[in-house]
Amino acid sequence: MASILSILASPYGAASRGATLAAQAAANLQAADPSLALVERDLSTLARSVIPSSYADAVLARQPSEHAAFDLSETLIREVEDAAFITIATPMHNYTVPASLKLWIDLVLRHSRSFAPVNGVKTGLLGDRPVLVVVTSGGAVTGKEAGQPDHLTGYLTDVLSTIGISDVRFIYLEGLVNPVQAGIAMAAGARAMLQDPVFAGRQGGESAMAHAVNG
Ligand SMILES: Cc1cc2nc3c(=O)[nH]c(=O)nc-3n(C[C@H](O)[C@H](O)[C@H](O)COP(=O)(O)O)c2cc1C
């Protein structure tokens, strides 16, 4: 059964403002295709971990996927493989992704499993699928008002591209530290999502069908 993978990277999990918009995108997709299951991966449960040396050893020794050190990595990679659509609700933490999302990245980008070099270039082994990234930030991140660097957008784009995913769009809920601006940002974010043919739910059935056929 095709699924929507909802990755929640905020310390506030499903209560975060980014997660609210991502949940609306998932509801749109399910309205268009009720057969889609929702798989929620709340990364706040990973937040207190670090990559263990057993995982680093197994990666560097190119151990097979069945190796016990890869259990969590395999679970996370399979969630991506099974997803027809993915939403990632992530806050910006010090200009980039929060540590929990970085941990997810370190477990999902695995040599010879989710990517492999082809002619010296890291090439994705997972199929492409639509991804919506909802970025929440206390200050402005885009446009002339942005008084800070953005190492999140380019980084996450490169990370997803490494595993084979390039159908990615970003929605920014910025300036959330200011309650008035927060209301404006949430309304603008909801409008931006409705402009997106996939996550507004208008192409849900077709995309899920394409995923089921192409893997
Ligand atoms: C450790 C930490 C680092 C943060 N770094 C930034 C930052 O670099 N830029 C920024 O605009 N906001 C920063 N913030 C504010 C968060 O991005 C903001 O509180 C969050 O996105 C709120 O969204 P949410 O409701 O989805 O969690 C930071 C917050 C925390 C806790």
Side-chain angles (χ1 to χ4, degrees):
M1 189 204 300
S3 63
I4 305 163
L5 174 59
S6 166
I7 298 171
L8 304 174
S10 168
Y12 302 110
S16 77
R17 287 165 284 190
T20 308
L21 194 64
Q24 186 56 57
N28 292 344
L29 293 169
Q30 286 182 311
D33 181 355
S35 74
L36 285 168
L38 183 62
V39 175
E40 200 168 85
R41 173 57 64 180
D42 185 346
L43 301 184
S44 59
T45 56
L46 290 182
R48 284 172 290 281
S49 337
V50 288
I51 289 290
S53 60
S54 57
Y55 178 76
D57 288 347
V59 167
L60 296 174
R62 305 269 193 271
Q63 295 287 359
S65 293
E66 298 72 38
H67 194 284
F70 291 148
D71 283 356
L72 179 56
S73 169
E74 278 299 306
T75 298
L76 298 176
I77 290 172
R78 285 192 200 128
E79 284 178 352
V80 172
E81 288 178 319
D82 290 346
F85 306 93
I86 300 176
T87 63
I88 302 176
T90 180
M92 172 177 275
H93 278 180
N94 294 309
Y95 317 136
T96 188
V97 297
S100 58
L101 184 52
K102 178 61 166 61
L103 192 56
W104 181 88
I105 290 166
D106 289 340
L107 291 165
V108 168
L109 268 65
R110 231 176 73 213
H111 191 289
S112 308
R113 177 62 175 89
S114 54
F115 73 89
V118 175
N119 298 325
V121 178
K122 289 181 177 179
T123 304
L125 299 178
L126 312 185
D128 201 5
R129 64 210 76 212
V131 175
L132 170 67
V133 184
V134 181
V135 181
T136 46
S137 59
V141 169
T142 65
K144 291 200 190 89
E145 280 85 54
Q148 58 183 335
D150 172 12
H151 296 297
L152 189 156
T153 308
Y155 174 62
L156 204 47
T157 302
D158 287 343
V159 158
L160 293 169
S161 166
T162 300
I163 58 175
I165 297 178
S166 57
D167 186 1
V168 183
R169 67 282 286 143
F170 287 78
I171 292 181
Y172 300 87
L173 304 178
E174 38 191 334
L176 298 185
V177 73
N178 176 327
V180 176
Q181 172 54 31
I184 295 169
M186 294 298 291
R191 280 197 303 278
M193 192 175 62
L194 290 176
Q195 299 292 315
D196 185 274
V198 175
F199 288 92
R202 292 196 290 279
Q203 290 179 355
E206 291 164 34
S207 298
M209 184 79 73
H211 175 73
V213 171
N214 301 322

